[in-house]
Amino acid sequence: QEQFWGCTVEANGSTTENLEVSELHVSNVALQNTKVKNPVLVKVTVGEQTYTVCTLSKEIPQSSVELVFFPVDDNVTFSVVGDSNV
C-alpha cells in the first residue's frame, strides 16, 4: 500500500517518525529559507545506517531524488545540518 507523507525538519535538528511501511521512498527535498549562506545537508537514518539524501544551497534550493529507497523495519530519523528548515 502506497501512502504519501511529508515532514518539516528544523535547522540543525532532527525528527524521528515511526512509519508503518516496508520501504521509504524520498522523492523531493526543499529549503524553507532560500537565502542560506552555507550548504544544508539532509540525512536520513534507518536502523544503524545513516544516508546523505542531498545537499541544498541558495543556488540549489530543492532536489528531486526520485530513486532513493530505504528498507524500513524501525523508526526513521530525518536530520538537517545547516541553517534552514527543510
Side-chain angles (χ1 to χ4, degrees), residues 8-67:
T8 300
V9 183
E10 300 283 326
N12 290 306
S14 65
T15 184
T16 300
E17 305 292 334
N18 186 351
L19 303 177
E20 296 182 11
V21 296
S22 59
E23 69 180 13
L24 174 66
H25 173 205
V26 178
S27 60
N28 195 20
V29 182
L31 290 176
Q32 188 173 42
N33 174 9
T34 59
K35 296 180 182 176
V36 294
K37 293 181 181 177
N38 297 310
V40 175
L41 199 62
V42 181
K43 298 182 177 189
V44 61
T45 301
V46 179
E48 299 294 319
Q49 292 288 335
T50 299
Y51 306 93
T52 298
V53 176
C54 63
T55 301
L56 303 174
S57 65
K58 63 182 177 183
E59 293 84 13
I60 305 170
Q62 75 174 21
S63 179
S64 294
V65 284
E66 296 295 333
L67 299 175

